[in-house]
Amino acid sequence: MNKSDKLILWFDELGLDDVPLVGGKNASLGEMYSNLTKKGINIPNGFATTSKAYWFFIKKNGLDEKIKKVLAGLNTSDMRNLSERGMKIRNLILNSEFPEELGEEIKKAYRKLARKYHPDVNPGNKEAEKKFKEVKEIPRITIAEAKRLLEKKGKKLGPDDDLDSESEKLLGELVNSDFIFVTNYPWVKRPFYHMKSEKDSQGTRSFDLIWNGVEVATGAQREHRLGILKKQAKEKGVKLDPIYSEIFQFGAPPHGGVGLGLDRMIQRLLELNNIREAILLPRDPERITP
């Protein structure tokens, strides 16, 4: 089958000439995979859905004609009208059915990818089913509760201490879950813009997500009330830039933020021994090139 007729293309099939089929990022990943794996650089394979898959989705739902009607008579100089029409098209796509054939192609490719990097992932393999069980609920414990559990195992941490690598690993074993949310980190360890806990004046509405003993994400609800934000900045000895304050001056909605360690997630997912194996061009005290 010709490349242009496929719904899925693998990185080992792709190069920079395939931008029209899979976009710039996927084409670059294919180019990187094809050229660097031959040089001994460990890059996992992957797959991309193609422009053919996009048009398959569009035509299966009859969206091509609907989109043409929405765009008829569009004045590109009228930004409000452009935004309104864009929203209509977005809603058409979001409310459409995902074609079963395309879904099956994606599932089949994902199963193939799983078997490549985890050969034990096969239908009916009970051990594999245990290993890759569906996560329905992630336990949540406060950092104070985590420290009490750790202390029972001989790992003592101070009230304002963060969890170190040893603590995170041990906690995963104690809670008996692949994933754990640790919440309510102490205010002294968090930045001024994290919202304080209503139940604990020394805590924050923050969390770390630990996956198999490694922290892979850190996040919190951010303080959106300017008066409290100024007070907390003063507590931390931070001088607010007027431009920053202006963002909140006329009101800001409640909001949060999270930082993900993608290299750590890849390491956990592929069960790699060292974080350097999950980074394309790792840097450490003994390696600065390439």
Side-chain angles (χ1 to χ4, degrees):
M1 185 186 292
N2 193 290
K3 269 188 184 182
S4 59
D5 294 325
K6 292 184 177 181
L7 300 175
I8 297 286
L9 284 171
W10 290 85
F11 291 166
D12 58 13
E13 301 177 274
L14 296 172
L16 292 180
D17 293 337
D18 296 308
V19 172
L21 296 179
V22 293
K25 288 187 175 66
N26 285 315
S28 296
L29 285 168
E31 185 80 10
M32 188 166 62
Y33 181 86
S34 300
N35 287 287
L36 296 184
T37 48
K38 293 183 286 190
K39 299 181 183 296
I41 297 175
N42 188 17
I43 301 173
N45 200 359
F47 63 89
T49 52
T50 63
S51 53
K52 173 78 174 180
Y54 169 79
W55 283 109
F56 183 77
F57 172 86
I58 293 292
K59 290 184 181 298
K60 270 285 183 178
N61 287 282
L63 293 179
D64 44 349
E65 291 304 317
K66 293 176 184 177
I67 290 171
K68 281 180 185 176
K69 287 180 182 177
V70 172
L71 292 177
L74 172 67
N75 177 4
T76 55
S77 300
D78 185 343
M79 297 306 293
R80 181 182 291 276
N81 185 242
L82 185 63
S83 176
E84 289 170 355
R85 294 187 194 222
M87 181 63 76
K88 286 180 182 178
I89 293 170
R90 190 177 298 112
N91 287 333
L92 281 174
I93 292 171
L94 288 173
N95 293 319
S96 294
E97 292 291 325
F98 200 85
E100 187 177 344
E101 303 97 309
L102 179 55
E104 283 304 313
E105 282 289 310
I106 293 171
K107 289 176 188 176
K108 186 168 72 173
Y110 188 81
R111 285 193 288 267
K112 181 179 176 181
L113 189 66
R115 283 194 297 271
K116 178 176 175 64
Y117 293 104
H118 285 283
D120 55 344
V121 181
N122 288 294
N125 186 324
K126 298 300 180 185
E127 286 303 310
E129 287 173 11
K130 286 179 188 175
K131 190 174 182 182
F132 296 97
K133 59 184 181 293
E134 181 183 355
V135 177
K136 294 186 177 178
E137 187 173 350
I138 299 177
R140 298 183 181 196
I141 62 172
T142 66
I143 192 167
E145 291 169 330
K147 287 175 180 177
R148 286 195 287 272
L149 286 173
L150 291 167
E151 190 170 0
K152 289 178 182 178
K153 286 293 181 179
K155 179 71 176 178
K156 187 171 176 61
L157 297 169
D160 293 334
D161 287 342
D162 202 343
L163 301 179
D164 57 19
S165 298
E166 182 187 9
S167 301
E168 291 171 352
K169 186 175 180 181
L170 185 56
L171 196 60
E173 297 168 3
L174 290 170
V175 180
N176 191 29
S177 174
D178 290 344
F179 295 92
I180 312 161
F181 278 119
V182 180
T183 65
N184 198 40
Y185 276 79
W187 163 246
V188 295
K189 293 292 184 182
R190 292 283 161 148
F192 76 91
Y193 50 80
H194 279 197
M195 183 178 283
K196 287 187 176 182
S197 171
E198 294 173 356
K199 298 177 182 178
D200 176 9
S201 62
Q202 301 305 310
T204 54
R205 302 190 65 164
S206 59
F207 69 87
D208 280 356
L209 175 61
I210 296 172
W211 180 7
N212 286 333
V214 174
E215 175 203 319
V216 295
T218 295
Q221 183 169 353
R222 307 295 172 86
E223 183 53 70
H224 60 283
R225 296 161 293 187
L226 182 57
I228 297 174
L229 197 60
K230 285 180 175 178
K231 183 181 174 183
Q232 291 186 180
K234 189 175 181 180
E235 268 186 68
K236 293 280 188 181
V238 175
K239 186 177 180 180
L240 291 184
D241 189 300
I243 295 175
Y244 182 85
S245 299
E246 283 174 10
I247 296 170
F248 300 88
Q249 187 174 355
F250 300 106
H255 61 283
V258 63
L260 296 170
L262 295 179
D263 44 5
R264 295 184 182 191
M265 293 176 73
I266 291 169
Q267 183 196 10
R268 294 292 87 197
L269 185 65
L270 300 181
E271 297 183 346
L272 303 174
N273 292 324
N274 194 297
I275 190 70
R276 288 191 291 269
E277 295 180 56
I279 302 171
L280 177 60
L281 299 172
R283 296 286 181 264
D284 60 38
E286 297 179 0
R287 186 182 191 277
I288 58 172
T289 58

